Amino acid sequence: MDFKTVEAKWQKTWAKQKAFEPKTDAQAPKFFFTVPYPYVSGSLHVGHGRTYAVGDVFARYKRMAGFNVLWPMAFHITGTPVLAISSKIADGDKATVQMHEDYVSVYESDASKVKKIVQSFGKDPWNVVNYYSGKLVHDFSRMGFSLDLSRQFTTGDAEYNKFIEWQFHTYQKKGYLKQAAYPILYCVRDRNAVGEDDIKDGDSDPVSVQPFTGFKFAFEDGFLVSSTLRPDTVYGITNMFARPDATYAKIRADGQILYVAKEFVEKMKLQHHVVDVLEEIKGEAFLGKTCTTPLGKQVPILPGAFVNPDHASGFVHSVPAHAPFDYVALQDLKKDAKWKGLVEKIEPIAVISVPGYGNWPAKDVVQRMKIANLKEKAKLDKATAELYKKEYYEGTLLPINGEFAGMKAETAKDKMALWLKAKGAALDVYEASRPAQCRCGGQVVVAVLSDQWFLDFNAAGWKTAANQCLQRMDIHPATYRKQFEDVFAWLDKRPCARRRGLGTRLPFNRDWIVESLSDSTIYMAMYTIIKKIRELKLTPENLTPEFFDYVFTGQGKGTPQRDAVRAEFLYWYPNDQRHTAVAHLTNHLSFFIFAHAAVFRPEHWPHAITLNELVVAEGTKMSKSKGNVVSLNDIANNTGADLFRLYAISTADLAATLDFRAKDVEALRRRLYKLYTIWDEWSALSQDQKTPTPVVRWLQSKFASIAQKSTDAIERRALRDYAQAAFFEALNAAEHFGSRATPAEKAQAAALLLKPWIGLLCPLIPHACEEYWEKVEGEGLASTSAWPALPKEWRDEQSEAAEDFLMNTVSDVRTILPLVKKKPAKISLIVANAAKRKKMAELLKAETPDQLTGDSFMENFVRKRLYELKHTRPVDESAILRESRAYLQSVFGVPFEVLEEDKTDNPRKEKALPGKPAVFVE
RNA sequence: GGAGGGGUAGCAAAGCUUGGCCAAAUGUGCAGCGUUCAGGGCGCUGUCCCUUUGUGGGUUCGUGGGUUCAAAUCCCACCCCCUCCACCA
């Protein structure tokens, strides 16, 4: 069977028949299922594949189980990535052009067409969106996902913008939106905020905002500003460092006189300070003078060659007990005759105690790492990182720290910064975590926006409602509920709008665009109504806040049109199940719950969240830089949708990482083809209606329990268990049956079991199932058939016990054969007599093995496996063995004879035990 | 530091909720046999150690204790590993 042909065939059929578009007027109960829409910026990979495959199994099962299922999809385009692709291509960025030519050539064979398409991306970001969104649909369809494709939209559509405007109007009304100052990365040349994509090497070497505390050291008529990440060491300051060859500026900032590096002046202006430069001063001019720490202590200003004037405020105060740089710098200065005298008077001041370190941790680290001088910058950076981390998490403040004594460094850090700021002894200073350049060539610095919009999750009542929603929800795997609770507890304020990117503008402040996670929290509601909005030809102007108020909450004035739209919403909402990857838990899924709690009535809050873990390839995490990303397209072309789905579901539990290993995939392919071999064989057999023989009854019984197990497993959301039962267990049983059964028996089995088996596997491997369904049934679709339920009466423990007995016997014979060391000509099986059975029954009455004290062959045997035997159902051993002589002969290649212990004088007859015939080899 | 997850045979990975049919599924690797058989594929068998003309014994599931007639599974302590800690989609 050529999977590509078969899969394409059924994908086409499903699309043509609109098999997965639900009816709103259906009698069946509704099931509204969603998986987050994909971001439109390139191709999909196996990670998406897993999440959607899991989703598809749920959706397909529910559909077969009688629900009217809506599983729609749409596209996320908000934010900067799409813009970045477009502008990079417009700029002729070679790597980006190459990457997208690669992507596009997956779909287009004509090389000149590929170039044309990619060039069009540079002309308009919407060309990126329009092209890739079509391809995403194509990729998903090739995996057989049963999506309703008739409700597509993007987050940049006019209707969507109106919808998000309504959401933010609602937030505004409830008081959930706040404005406050906020630091961002900023390009001085573009005069705009920059994201990872705008920064050179921003993806491989990310840049972040580092918040420093600027300490004010009284100096002459003003203050020197030093910058620190460690305000908790303020009591340990021994001196100030200035760079001799740097230029500093005396400035008037916000009404006071400050001294900072000249380079810092422009940054300071961007950080929302009003600054006038009064005078420029060389660094040398400060040296040897004194200044006063925020705590009022006089300290000298010393030369610091390591001080970078282009980093923060350009002065660095010195805490030699806890900062390796400071410690080494002072050691270096001792070698300088000019400073020796002054420096030797400086003694490091310990302010934090850290387990495993002495009084001066910086000294310990420097000595251990054998750092000789300031030139060993790499080692010093490492030492600093190690010590800072250690002190931050494990450090405790010593008594010298006044009211902060005894506090953990972690807590003290923020408290001391606040305390100093409140005293007017400190200010906020921001710097980028590393020197960085924008792609335009401009320097990346930190600017402070004075009016950043935030969502305030701690606004009155919001968190309570969100927690209520969470409590009512079903979270699977259950272990993640705790994580939600934790996340909810520490969610505070979150910036929710940006200055740039695609998306929706804030209705009451159009300079701002709603940020990409904040505009994707309640869009499931949009799925329910978008079709009706289009059908009624409602224009964006119609989609006023009043319109959505009415549609979603029933408030305000209704019109026939509004009622029609509201009816759609009321039919489908709430979202019955949302499925996605665990990575979304701390952000998207949490915001999803908060947003629902904020804008919808409790009866429309979501019901369930299911999660799956990530996908790795050949044991390692996938990443673009490693070049080991497996694209969904490769899967469709090389693996096949059915095989991938089977692999993704059966290999790892939802809570476990899925390792995509080519070798294991191929091993599974062989199993899958074995299934097809059996289905081919079965479907070719003519129907046989005779009474089922024992072996057939055994298989029926097996399948009845497999069907039950499968259903229970999916209902429990244990998809791996479902796959194990419906695929592996069933296949093993069928294989075993195949080795035991006659053609007539196979025909019986086929007539009874083939169709239900196809049904059971349809959510998992839908393409193959449709193919065989067509062969067997001839009409309709497996995908829309009813979920199979096999009669309970098929369960037949007696048949299963009989088969178990036979297999145990086979296994015993196999153990014995090598021991007899001769080529067997004939094998006799001797069945134990009635007296032994009676005795055995007596022995089995024992509660525990140690109640059996005898030393007979039987008693030893029973003692060893008392509990096992208690659960073994007695069977008619002679009859079973006699019926199976042909089978036994086929396994061992010699004739079998079945004897009764009482009717034979076979030398081994004493060894016969109930359930365990004696074996005699001749 | 906080939160979460995990340590099982050469490797990968089930089992642990509900203790006993667990020397422990399955796949892979390795070995043998078979196959109208070069290889591959397919089928069967074996793969902790010892023992064996008869279906046996011993020691295992990170380490150490405990509960129990019985522990990979329950309890306690310890060691080690991984992930996340945000404003990025």
Side-chain angles (χ1 to χ4, degrees):
Chain A
M1 181 159 112
D2 169 27
F3 70 82
K4 275 197 207 174
T5 317
V6 170
E7 290 179 356
K9 169 182 163 188
W10 291 105
Q11 285 153 13
K12 217 187 239 171
T13 307
W14 293 328
K16 211 170 102 199
Q17 300 194 9
K18 298 186 194 295
F20 307 124
E21 285 181 29
K23 310 269 178 295
T24 310
D25 55 358
Q27 293 301 304
K30 67 96 183 178
F31 187 78
F32 181 31
F33 177 69
T34 62
V35 176
Y37 43 28
Y39 200 89
V40 185
S41 60
S43 58
L44 298 161
H45 54 77
V46 275
H48 298 104
R50 182 186 190 189
T51 302
Y52 273 76
V54 169
D56 195 46
V57 172
F58 283 128
R60 284 178 176 272
Y61 166 73
K62 280 287 178 182
R63 206 174 281 122
M64 291 177 75
F67 287 86
N68 189 31
V69 173
L70 170 59
W71 181 25
M73 79 171 290
F75 306 97
H76 195 200
I77 68 164
T78 306
T80 51
V82 170
L83 279 186
I85 292 170
S86 182
S87 67
K88 279 186 190 173
I89 289 173
D91 293 352
D93 180 280
K94 279 198 180 116
T96 310
V97 169
Q98 185 61 52
M99 188 168 93
H100 287 272
E101 285 183 354
D102 288 350
Y103 286 166
V104 172
S105 32
V106 170
Y107 308 103
E108 316 290 342
S109 44
D110 182 348
S112 67
K113 203 173 162 197
V114 171
K115 286 216 181 319
K116 222 175 118 191
I117 290 168
V118 173
Q119 285 316 307
S120 80
F121 290 174
K123 295 195 182 96
D124 186 345
W126 276 97
N127 290 338
V128 178
V129 171
N130 292 333
Y131 184 80
Y132 281 128
S133 59
K135 297 311 159 196
L136 295 189
V137 170
H138 173 262
D139 286 359
F140 277 160
S141 299
R142 288 193 72 195
M143 297 310 294
F145 299 147
S146 60
L147 293 154
D148 177 354
L149 298 175
S150 68
R151 294 164 189 258
Q152 298 174 33
F153 53 82
T154 82
T155 57
D157 293 358
E159 295 91 342
Y160 196 82
N161 296 153
K162 289 299 189 180
F163 169 66
I164 297 302
E165 285 181 19
W166 168 77
Q167 180 182 6
F168 275 75
H169 269 301
T170 308
Y171 283 163
Q172 178 82 316
K173 273 194 271 180
K174 297 211 163 193
Y176 293 171
L177 285 173
K178 302 270 160 73
Q179 275 185 296
Y182 187 70
I184 53 157
L185 293 172
Y186 182 91
C187 169
V188 293
R189 198 167 140 189
D190 284 343
R191 298 172 162 275
N192 215 334
V194 288
E196 192 177 284
D197 286 322
D198 308 303
I199 298 170
K200 277 184 189 158
D201 304 318
D203 48 345
S204 52
D205 186 7
V207 184
S208 58
V209 172
Q210 271 192 322
F212 288 82
T213 306
F215 280 5
K216 286 157 69 178
F217 285 70
F219 176 76
E220 296 179 353
D221 52 348
F223 300 95
L224 304 180
V225 180
S226 72
S227 304
T228 180
L229 288 166
R230 302 283 310 276
D232 47 321
T233 59
V234 62
Y235 281 90
I237 297 171
T238 58
N239 63 286
M240 178 65 92
F241 286 118
R243 175 135 165 177
D245 58 345
T247 308
Y248 288 83
K250 178 178 180 181
I251 59 173
R252 177 175 288 113
D254 309 326
Q256 51 190 335
I257 305 288
L258 301 179
Y259 296 84
V260 297
K262 186 186 165 196
E263 286 84 347
F264 188 60
V265 174
E266 287 309 308
K267 296 181 202 168
M268 216 174 159
K269 286 180 184 168
L270 287 168
Q271 289 177 17
H272 218 63
H273 296 281
V274 181
V275 179
D276 290 316
V277 177
L278 303 174
E279 151 183 23
E280 290 191 0
I281 304 167
K282 273 282 169 204
E284 304 160 330
F286 295 98
L287 305 180
K289 297 183 177 171
T290 51
C291 54
T292 312
T293 73
L295 301 174
K297 189 176 137 194
Q298 299 247 326
V299 294
I301 304 172
L302 299 173
F306 67 98
V307 175
N308 179 359
D310 200 12
H311 187 252
S313 56
F315 287 103
V316 174
H317 64 247
S318 167
V319 185
H322 298 283
F325 267 103
D326 300 346
Y327 180 81
V328 174
L330 290 177
Q331 297 303 313
D332 272 10
L333 279 180
K334 282 184 188 166
K335 294 167 204 154
D336 188 329
K338 189 174 169 196
W339 300 105
K340 191 167 183 277
L342 193 52
V343 174
E344 278 181 342
K345 275 186 260 168
I346 296 176
E347 165 116 332
I349 305 167
V351 290
I352 293 175
S353 79
V354 201
Y357 290 82
N359 205 24
W360 298 338
K363 185 183 171 191
D364 291 355
V365 183
V366 165
Q367 288 182 346
R368 173 156 50 78
M369 293 176 78
K370 298 196 170 61
I371 300 170
N373 54 49
L374 280 176
K375 284 178 190 127
E376 300 191 86
K377 189 167 180 306
K379 273 186 180 175
L380 275 166
D381 283 334
K382 208 178 147 204
T384 304
E386 177 195 309
L387 187 57
Y388 276 24
K389 196 176 170 190
K390 193 90 182 163
E391 291 190 340
Y392 180 72
Y393 290 123
E394 295 174 44
T396 311
L397 272 68
L398 293 166
I400 191 176
N401 290 281
E403 59 179 291
F404 299 97
M407 211 178 263
K408 303 280 279 178
E410 190 179 353
T411 345
K413 189 182 152 185
D414 292 340
K415 293 217 160 138
M416 290 173 101
L418 282 174
W419 172 65
L420 291 169
K421 276 186 245 173
K423 291 209 309 180
L427 64 155
D428 284 322
V429 168
Y430 298 99
E431 186 57 272
S433 57
R434 68 168 172 89
Q437 287 200 310
C438 179
R439 287 193 308 112
C440 78
Q443 191 190 4
V444 172
V445 300
V446 177
V448 170
L449 300 175
S450 60
D451 53 355
Q452 171 71 48
W453 288 91
F454 289 88
L455 285 176
D456 181 5
F457 293 113
N458 280 317
W462 198 359
K463 214 166 247 191
T464 318
N467 274 311
Q468 272 169 14
C469 176
L470 177 64
Q471 266 169 35
R472 295 188 347 196
M473 284 181 84
D474 178 17
I475 307 286
H476 182 91
T479 162
Y480 293 115
R481 177 180 297 279
K482 176 91 173 72
Q483 284 202 23
F484 272 110
E485 287 167 359
D486 290 346
V487 171
F488 280 26
W490 42 260
L491 273 175
D492 184 18
K493 290 187 180 55
R494 176 175 207 282
C496 62
R498 294 283 137 93
R499 289 292 199 173
R500 49 201 287 273
L502 300 175
T504 303
R505 291 182 180 277
L506 277 184
F508 31 80
N509 191 338
R510 300 220 163 246
D511 296 338
W512 292 92
I513 295 154
V514 177
E515 171 273 337
S516 60
L517 284 171
S518 304
D519 83 342
S520 305
T521 54
I522 56 165
Y523 66 94
M524 311 84 216
M526 194 63 181
Y527 286 130
T528 66
I529 59 170
I530 187 69
K531 240 178 153 168
K532 194 54 105 183
I533 287 176
R534 286 173 185 156
E535 191 187 310
L536 295 172
K537 298 196 166 49
L538 297 179
T539 63
E541 291 72 46
N542 298 133
L543 306 180
T544 57
E546 295 73 35
F547 171 87
F548 286 113
D549 272 343
Y550 186 78
V551 168
F552 293 138
T553 68
Q555 289 168 7
K557 206 163 77 38
T559 64
Q561 285 186 331
R562 287 180 181 183
D563 283 326
V565 177
R566 177 158 169 76
E568 295 281 323
F569 172 72
L570 289 177
Y571 177 77
W572 288 113
Y573 239 58
N575 195 171
D576 294 286
Q577 183 182 346
R578 183 157 182 80
H579 177 79
T580 187
V582 174
H584 293 140
L585 194 150
T586 55
N587 42 58
H588 167 70
L589 287 170
S590 294
F591 304 153
F592 160 70
I593 295 174
F594 270 88
H596 273 81
V599 305
F600 292 117
R601 292 168 182 275
E603 65 266 31
H604 292 138
W605 292 354
H607 280 179
I609 287 177
T610 50
L611 298 147
N612 66 255
E613 269 289 354
L614 78 162
V615 180
V616 300
E618 308 294 344
T620 41
K621 207 167 171 175
M622 286 187 290
S623 74
K624 268 186 199 162
S625 53
K626 278 189 214 138
N628 64 343
V629 177
V630 183
S631 83
L632 212 48
N633 234 292
D634 293 343
I635 298 286
N637 289 331
N638 307 325
T639 308
D642 281 347
L643 176 57
F644 171 74
R645 299 163 59 107
L646 177 63
Y647 183 82
I649 304 295
S650 71
T651 307
D653 188 74
L654 295 188
T657 302
L658 172 68
D659 192 356
F660 191 80
R661 288 171 181 259
K663 201 161 192 172
D664 291 354
V665 172
E666 290 314 307
L668 186 59
R669 189 192 299 280
R670 295 197 286 273
R671 287 308 283 159
L672 184 57
Y673 284 10
K674 183 74 202 185
L675 175 83
Y676 298 157
T677 310
I678 292 175
W679 282 4
D680 280 333
E681 188 190 357
W682 283 14
S683 57
L685 293 166
S686 59
Q687 304 267 311
D688 186 320
Q689 301 297 343
K690 282 199 281 289
T691 314
T693 64
V695 201
V696 176
R697 283 207 309 278
W698 171 80
L699 191 64
Q700 275 181 280
S701 180
K702 277 275 179 203
F703 268 67
S705 62
I706 284 168
Q708 190 58 49
K709 232 193 237 182
S710 302
T711 310
D712 293 346
I714 303 187
E715 291 289 344
R716 276 190 294 124
R717 284 154 179 163
L719 296 194
R720 183 176 189 273
D721 292 350
Y722 150 65
Q724 291 288 333
F727 181 74
F728 291 100
E729 267 185 58
L731 182 55
N732 288 344
E735 269 188 307
H736 176 67
F737 171 79
S739 72
R740 298 264 288 107
T742 62
E745 287 172 326
K746 286 184 186 172
Q748 287 176 359
L752 291 164
L753 301 173
L754 182 52
K755 222 177 99 181
W757 196 4
I758 293 171
L760 278 181
L761 285 175
C762 189
L764 205 50
I765 47 169
H767 306 88
C769 288
E770 291 292 2
E771 188 69 13
Y772 284 97
W773 184 270
E774 189 182 39
K775 275 189 204 176
V776 175
E777 190 72 1
E779 58 178 358
L781 292 174
S783 299
T784 50
S785 68
W787 181 250
L790 298 183
K792 278 206 171 60
E793 308 82 74
W794 282 12
R795 296 293 289 278
D796 180 353
E797 290 185 38
Q798 201 61 39
S799 295
E800 295 201 22
E803 194 65 18
D804 285 348
F805 161 72
L806 183 63
M807 287 306 113
N808 285 338
T809 307
V810 168
S811 154
D812 283 351
V813 173
R814 231 194 281 287
T815 318
I816 288 159
L817 277 182
L819 298 175
V820 300
K821 288 183 180 157
K822 66 175 175 185
K823 206 166 160 41
K826 179 182 154 197
I827 297 172
S828 304
L829 299 172
I830 305 125
V831 176
N833 62 21
K836 276 186 178 165
R837 271 166 218 288
K838 207 173 151 201
K839 172 127 191 271
M840 174 88 100
E842 284 297 317
L843 292 174
L844 286 178
K845 285 181 188 156
E847 299 266 325
T848 61
D850 57 345
Q851 290 173 7
L852 302 169
T853 51
D855 193 32
S856 67
F857 178 62
M858 187 191 283
E859 202 156 341
N860 284 331
F861 175 78
V862 173
R863 181 163 46 242
K864 189 138 196 315
R865 56 199 83 190
L866 178 65
Y867 294 97
E868 176 187 346
L869 291 171
K870 272 175 184 282
H871 291 103
T872 307
R873 190 181 259 262
V875 292
D876 184 346
E877 297 178 27
S878 302
I880 292 163
L881 294 176
R882 275 176 226 285
E883 269 165 17
S884 312
R885 270 179 300 183
Y887 167 68
L888 291 168
Q889 177 159 358
S890 76
V891 173
F892 293 101
V894 294
F896 271 74
E897 186 181 24
V898 179
L899 304 169
E900 306 290 334
E901 183 176 1
D902 287 345
K903 298 179 193 162
T904 180
D905 47 9
N906 186 291
R908 302 228 37 102
K909 70 175 188 179
E910 293 304 324
K911 294 281 180 188
L913 290 172
K916 209 167 177 63
V919 181
F920 179 69
V921 184
E922 334 182 22

